[in-house]
Amino acid sequence: MSKTSLDLQTTVHVEASNLKAYYLTEQQGVMKEVKAVEDVSFDIEGSKFLAIVGESGCGKTTLAKVLYGFVNSNLSIIGGRICYSFGDAQYEVSPTANTLKDAWWKKISYVPQGSLSALNPVRKLKDIFLDLANSHGVPFQEEKVKNHLKMVKLPPYILRMYPFELSGGMRQRVVIALATLLHPSVIIADEPTSALDVVTQRDILRLLKSIQVDAKSTFIFITHDISLVPDLADFMAIMYGGCIVEYGPTEAIFSRPLHPYTKFLLSTVPTIGDKTEKQPIPGSPVNLIDPPPGCRFHPRCPYGEKICAEQRPGLVENKANSWECRVACWLYR
Amino acid sequence: MDDSLLTLNRVTKIFQIGTFLSKVKIYAVRDVTLTIEKKPMVFTLVGESGSGKTTLANVLLRVVAPTEGSVSFLGRKIESYKKSEFIRLVQPVFQNPYETFNPLKKVELYFRSVINKLSIVNHNGHAAEKIIDQALSSVALTWEEVRGKYLHEFSGGQLQRLSIARALMVNPTLLVADEPVSMLDASLRVFVLNLFRKLKEEKQLYVVYITHDLATAYYISDRIAVMLRGSVVEMGPAEKVLLNPLHPYTALLKESVPNPYKKQGESRFEEREEQILEIEEYAGEGCKFALRCPHAKEICRREIPADVFLDDVLVKCWLYK
């Protein structure tokens, strides 16, 4: 990588402010809104690794789509905006504008969950790399691609193969190689390891971390498995029912979780050597079509008070903590 | 033989892939011998993808016939059972609850047809609903929540609980659960694992639990068998095997489990410079782990290690000879 691109990457700035994105869906003849992302704000600067953790149906994949500017007629941004500044260029996604598409693959790229469905099954991998290069006006140099494959630890002969001939882990490496081919400075990875077994998962996570460190890029990593986060992320955001309920440095959240939901999530992680009975979180996940008023976690929360059911707590800085943590809970007011 | 629930004797399953010109034999399961004693327990088969654990589960469920070897259940060969007898004894729970049920049918239909086919009671009567309600209550669901609904109206967690409830309706002796929690959230995962524990204790149920995740395996298993490319390489009490793994492969699996409270230090297992195709491991003549093992010696690549018993743990590795 040239020196100039390194300089540019250090000034990457991602800022989401009061982001709101809803799906429109028809239920029994009535149009309804699925409030999948509600008032999400965060900002990351420079080479950072942010993990967004939440259970299924909490809106984390929707958030990933919005962050990547992948909005269509179904999913629309209702309010707020997300700004990317790459030093030399600025892009934004908001209800009125979406300029991020021009930056896809070159400045920002996306690693999806299902690596098999991400690759065209009837094309050899070489052609897939060729397509990507051609469609972005970059000359295709086989030697360069082979070197790039070496970085993700794939043998060069896989270029002659079809996607189905590779194992799940190798396919995920191909997808990562594609996503990093044009040296983007921001990479969004949506559950990149959820279809893989633990051994492959660990290898892929190590690879992602090493790419982030070597290329000094900004990573947004989305997962349902909180136990993956400590080895990877500098910062983490916990999502519940479309909102970020806690945000802070990974170390701080693991050593002192504040939000009741975060505490529950951490307590359900089984570890080897611990046979004590774990308790599942009471109640069932929030229905995003008709979310409860107030704090969306309050029906399941053991500390629920009157105010929790009336007003939604904002994400505010927690002063009692020496870390820079933010939590959305009435307990900490 | 009579003191065992399930005995596998040198079970082998060979799949052939490729066309006429390039036929390759894959030993999906190779020479597996194991016994599950008659004492309610959770027996775990653990291994990475492609280790043959699902094929072995399918052999237990009589979905796949072994190429060689035999499986006995309660002292009889499993082929000798009539289908209706066998499904009352052994029931499956699959990985993906969205694929377990037909999206075009009401989910309650599955419960009704269990009652109908096994002629427990009249299919339409209130008695049928009562039985269904009982089955559902063991997984913390009610008949009201299920009645008249289709697949898409349930969450993944509810569907997985429904598929367990369906399996439990015939009061089976053995539940073969293939990755039942890998698609569930942390909270529901704990719920299902606790349910297996409870069923074992209260209903004297045997569970064959198949997973790649050693942490959940430790949480519920009594005995464990570690599978690698078709063979069992280590087997014994779960506590012993997981706390002090003998085989380097088990150690790798253990190390791969993410532990939020322990920073991962330097690994004994350095990643290879280049990924290897699974087929290369299958094709190896000796120990299938030899290509990745930090202790690999000449003999490992040449010969399959023999069974070695250290106390009550079986291990197949040339390190213990």
Side-chain angles (χ1 to χ4, degrees):
Chain A
M1 203 175 297
S2 66
K3 196 167 175 285
T4 48
S5 66
L6 266 178
D7 289 342
L8 290 177
Q9 273 163 348
T10 50
T11 56
V12 173
H13 190 186
V14 186
E15 190 183 7
S17 47
N18 300 64
L19 207 57
K20 259 186 200 190
Y22 294 174
Y23 287 100
L24 275 177
T25 164
E26 198 184 306
Q27 215 180 45
Q28 283 150 2
V30 188
M31 290 309 278
K32 295 215 166 140
E33 284 171 334
V34 180
K35 304 177 179 72
V37 174
E38 189 84 80
D39 253 340
V40 166
S41 307
F42 63 84
D43 86 87
I44 15 175
E45 209 173 339
S47 160
K48 288 277 156 47
F49 203 118
L50 169 72
I52 298 173
V53 186
E55 294 184 287
S56 26
C58 75
K60 58 189 190 301
T61 294
T62 313
L63 179 60
K65 281 185 187 167
V66 173
L67 291 180
Y68 193 54
F70 189 73
V71 281
N72 50 26
S73 55
N74 239 340
L75 169 67
S76 49
I77 299 169
I78 302 295
R81 62 203 281 262
I82 166 136
C83 286
Y84 289 86
S85 64
F86 295 100
D88 56 341
Q90 323 250 316
Y91 301 92
E92 89 167 2
V93 181
S94 71
T96 47
N98 182 2
T99 53
L100 193 62
K101 275 182 187 168
D102 307 329
W104 282 4
W105 295 96
K106 286 181 172 173
K107 293 208 152 65
I108 177 166
S109 69
Y110 188 74
V111 179
Q113 182 169 7
S115 55
L116 183 55
S117 28
L119 300 170
N120 188 340
V122 295
R123 307 214 64 184
K124 290 194 173 170
L125 292 169
K126 188 182 163 185
D127 297 328
I128 297 177
F129 277 94
L130 195 74
D131 283 350
L132 174 65
N134 284 348
S135 59
H136 290 86
V138 181
F140 177 79
Q141 289 160 302
E142 194 160 332
E143 274 317 300
K144 254 189 165 172
V145 172
K146 282 182 177 166
N147 276 334
H148 191 66
L149 285 177
K150 206 178 256 171
M151 194 250 322
V152 298
K153 299 194 171 164
L154 283 172
Y157 61 80
I158 62 126
L159 284 177
R160 295 194 305 268
M161 297 170 107
Y162 288 100
F164 74 88
E165 294 179 271
L166 304 177
S167 68
M170 289 171 99
R171 278 200 296 264
Q172 196 57 272
R173 282 174 199 268
V174 171
V175 173
I176 292 169
L178 284 166
T180 51
L181 188 66
L182 305 179
H183 303 292
S185 17
V186 178
I187 296 172
I188 299 170
D190 183 11
E191 300 260 20
T193 63
S194 70
L196 306 174
D197 65 53
V198 275
V199 180
T200 324
Q201 167 171 282
R202 186 184 65 153
D203 292 347
I204 297 284
L205 294 179
R206 280 181 174 180
L207 174 67
L208 288 177
K209 184 70 189 168
S210 72
I211 290 174
Q212 188 255 333
V213 172
D214 295 345
K216 293 198 169 52
S217 48
T218 308
F219 246 82
I220 300 174
F221 177 80
I222 290 169
T223 181
H224 70 277
D225 189 349
I226 197 168
S227 57
L228 304 179
V229 178
D231 279 332
L232 287 174
D234 309 310
F235 289 90
M236 67 194 283
I238 311 277
M239 258 185 113
Y240 182 81
C243 313
I244 289 182
V245 294
E246 190 163 353
Y247 182 91
T250 309
E251 233 179 306
I253 291 182
F254 271 88
S255 58
R256 202 174 153 215
L258 296 170
H259 199 281
Y261 179 65
T262 317
K263 290 180 187 167
F264 266 123
L265 261 191
L266 282 170
S267 74
T268 54
V269 177
T271 48
I272 296 179
D274 173 18
K275 264 204 164 135
T276 53
E277 183 151 337
K278 313 264 177 223
Q279 288 311 320
I281 308 173
S284 46
V286 51
N287 175 2
L288 292 172
I289 291 183
D290 183 23
C295 171
R296 287 184 175 179
F297 189 60
H298 88 263
R300 304 173 81 181
C301 183
Y303 312 105
E305 283 169 44
K306 197 162 156 270
I307 188 166
C308 301
E310 287 163 357
Q311 254 182 298
R312 189 147 51 83
L315 196 62
V316 293
E317 211 150 294
N318 184 263
K319 302 232 166 51
N321 218 327
S322 55
W323 305 88
E324 270 178 60
C325 278
R326 276 179 279 161
V327 61
C329 180
W330 289 115
L331 282 177
Y332 302 97
R333 291 296 168 88
Chain B
M1 280 291 202
D2 274 340
D3 57 343
S4 68
L5 176 89
L6 186 77
T7 310
L8 273 69
N9 189 18
R10 310 205 63 173
V11 171
T12 298
K13 175 69 200 176
I14 302 171
F15 287 117
Q16 295 195 329
I17 57 166
T19 52
F20 296 112
L21 294 172
S22 57
K23 221 169 210 178
V24 184
K25 274 186 181 176
I26 297 257
Y27 282 81
V29 175
R30 187 171 203 162
D31 216 0
V32 170
T33 299
L34 61 86
T35 308
I36 298 182
E37 288 147 35
K38 248 193 199 157
K39 187 179 135 266
M41 66 162 91
V42 177
F43 187 96
T44 300
L45 288 172
V46 69
E48 51 189 345
S49 21
S51 63
K53 50 195 197 304
T54 296
T55 308
L56 194 58
N58 287 341
V59 169
L60 299 183
L61 290 166
R62 285 208 325 197
V63 177
V64 167
T67 317
E68 278 163 46
S70 65
V71 185
S72 325
F73 188 76
L74 292 169
R76 277 170 68 189
K77 292 260 163 68
I78 54 167
E79 308 87 67
S80 72
Y81 286 94
K82 270 196 249 146
K83 195 183 172 196
S84 60
E85 276 180 298
F86 191 71
I87 59 175
R88 277 168 192 263
L89 292 168
V90 182
Q91 277 287 328
V93 175
F94 296 110
Q95 176 173 17
N96 187 345
Y98 290 95
E99 286 173 1
T100 309
F101 299 100
N102 183 337
L104 299 175
K105 285 183 181 170
K106 284 180 186 159
V107 171
E108 62 176 272
L109 205 85
Y110 286 87
F111 291 86
R112 289 192 184 278
S113 73
V114 169
I115 290 177
N116 201 20
K117 290 242 170 75
L118 301 176
S119 53
I120 298 173
V121 283
N122 186 348
H123 153 76
N124 287 319
H126 280 288
E129 275 168 29
K130 219 176 155 189
I131 290 179
I132 299 174
D133 202 32
Q134 268 171 12
L136 290 175
S137 74
S138 64
V139 294
L141 286 168
T142 60
W143 175 236
E144 301 303 312
E145 289 174 83
V146 177
R147 185 168 50 202
K149 282 193 186 168
Y150 289 90
L151 175 103
H152 68 268
E153 292 171 83
F154 294 100
S155 68
Q158 280 177 321
L159 284 173
Q160 194 59 295
R161 285 189 279 163
L162 284 169
S163 87
I164 295 171
R166 189 209 54 80
L168 293 176
M169 279 184 76
V170 294
N171 267 325
T173 311
L174 175 69
L175 207 61
V176 179
D178 187 1
E179 299 268 13
V181 295
S182 66
M183 293 191 60
L184 302 183
D185 285 328
S187 173
L188 275 158
R189 186 165 67 192
V190 169
F191 177 88
V192 171
L193 294 175
N194 286 351
L195 180 67
F196 284 153
R197 267 190 178 182
K198 205 178 87 187
L199 290 169
K200 179 188 86 181
E201 274 150 31
E202 290 173 7
K203 289 199 170 173
Q204 310 291 304
L205 189 78
Y206 293 80
V207 182
V208 171
Y209 173 61
I210 295 164
T211 185
H212 64 257
D213 180 3
L214 287 193
T216 57
Y218 182 86
Y219 186 58
I220 59 167
S221 350
D222 300 294
R223 284 182 72 77
I224 194 164
V226 182
M227 288 191 75
L228 163 71
R229 303 282 174 239
S231 317
V232 170
V233 294
E234 188 167 356
M235 179 161 57
E239 192 86 28
K240 263 192 178 171
V241 171
L242 292 178
L243 291 180
N244 296 305
L246 296 173
H247 199 285
Y249 174 64
T250 318
L252 169 69
L253 281 177
K254 184 182 173 186
E255 208 190 88
S256 304
V257 175
N259 185 345
Y261 299 104
K262 210 179 82 199
K263 275 263 167 197
Q264 278 181 5
E266 276 302 295
S267 167
R268 279 207 288 148
F269 299 94
E270 273 319 302
E271 255 190 282
R272 296 172 54 87
E273 275 311 299
E274 269 177 10
Q275 291 292 301
I276 36 174
L277 288 168
E278 274 167 46
I279 194 116
E280 293 173 44
E281 280 202 344
Y282 274 112
E285 277 186 5
C287 173
K288 308 284 188 215
F289 195 53
L291 288 174
R292 285 186 281 166
C293 183
H295 311 287
K297 286 176 291 201
E298 183 52 38
I299 190 166
C300 302
R301 286 181 207 99
R302 225 175 41 234
E303 267 178 74
I304 292 180
D307 295 8
V308 177
F309 281 93
L310 293 174
D311 286 335
D312 45 357
V313 178
L314 164 87
V315 60
K316 280 189 195 179
C317 176
W318 287 116
L319 283 177
Y320 305 94
K321 190 67 201 171

